[in-house]
Amino acid sequence: MSGQVTQPKLIKDWTKEHVRKWVTEDLNIVEKYAQILFKEEVTGMVLQELTEEDLREMGLPRGPALLIKRMYNKLISSPESHNQDSRELNDKKLSTKEQQTKT
């Protein structure tokens, strides 16, 4: 990868290049597995929907697949996390429920 890639604050805004960078640099998973995700066009939006089984079906061994899912879950649930994805989703659910109770 050429140049410096800055991760957007929200995971949903990650491109496939951002996902590849996170997998190789932050998780220390070998490039060949990151390349599989890149070829499958796994963006941040896609990453949040993937299961371990999905990752295995793409050709990742169990170890990297587990690591990706667990670290993704930690990333979205950590209070000091630099992203707001899970909080935004919860806020949307709450506002929908509030609207339903008002009607």
Side-chain angles (χ1 to χ4, degrees), residues 11 17 45 55 60-61 73 77 80 91 99:
I11 294 172
E17 290 85 3
M45 291 284 286
L55 293 166
L60 276 72
N73 290 338
S77 65
E80 74 278 355
D91 289 347
Q99 289 174 359

Side-chain angles (χ1 to χ4, degrees), residues 70-100:
R70 289 185 180 165
M71 295 308 288
Y72 173 80
N73 290 338
K74 279 185 181 180
L75 186 65
I76 63 168
S77 65
S78 69
E80 74 278 355
S81 175
H82 63 278
N83 74 74
Q84 303 286 321
D85 290 354
S86 60
R87 278 181 241 133
E88 284 181 0
L89 182 58
N90 287 336
D91 289 347
K92 286 179 185 174
K93 286 179 184 174
L94 282 175
S95 67
T96 302
K97 285 182 183 177
E98 288 170 358
Q99 289 174 359
Q100 289 173 347

Side-chain angles (χ1 to χ4, degrees), residues 4-96:
Q4 190 71 282
V5 178
T6 304
Q7 297 291 90
K9 289 186 179 189
L10 300 177
I11 294 172
K12 67 180 179 130
D13 294 334
W14 287 6
T15 64
K16 61 185 185 174
E17 290 85 3
H18 295 125
V19 171
R20 180 170 61 184
K21 178 181 185 279
W22 177 68
V23 168
T24 56
E25 294 181 14
D26 294 354
L27 305 185
N28 293 318
I29 294 175
V30 295
E31 176 66 31
K32 71 179 180 177
Y33 300 130
Q35 193 60 32
I36 290 171
L37 299 176
F38 187 82
K39 286 181 182 175
E40 293 287 337
E41 299 197 16
V42 175
T43 63
M45 291 284 286
V46 174
L47 185 63
Q48 65 189 11
E49 300 299 324
L50 290 177
T51 64
E52 180 193 342
E53 185 178 328
D54 293 329
L55 293 166
R56 301 278 319 269
E57 287 176 6
M58 287 180 196
L60 276 72
R62 182 175 181 154
L66 275 172
L67 182 61
I68 289 168
K69 277 312 295 176
R70 289 185 180 165
M71 295 308 288
Y72 173 80
N73 290 338
K74 279 185 181 180
L75 186 65
I76 63 168
S77 65
S78 69
E80 74 278 355
S81 175
H82 63 278
N83 74 74
Q84 303 286 321
D85 290 354
S86 60
R87 278 181 241 133
E88 284 181 0
L89 182 58
N90 287 336
D91 289 347
K92 286 179 185 174
K93 286 179 184 174
L94 282 175
S95 67
T96 302

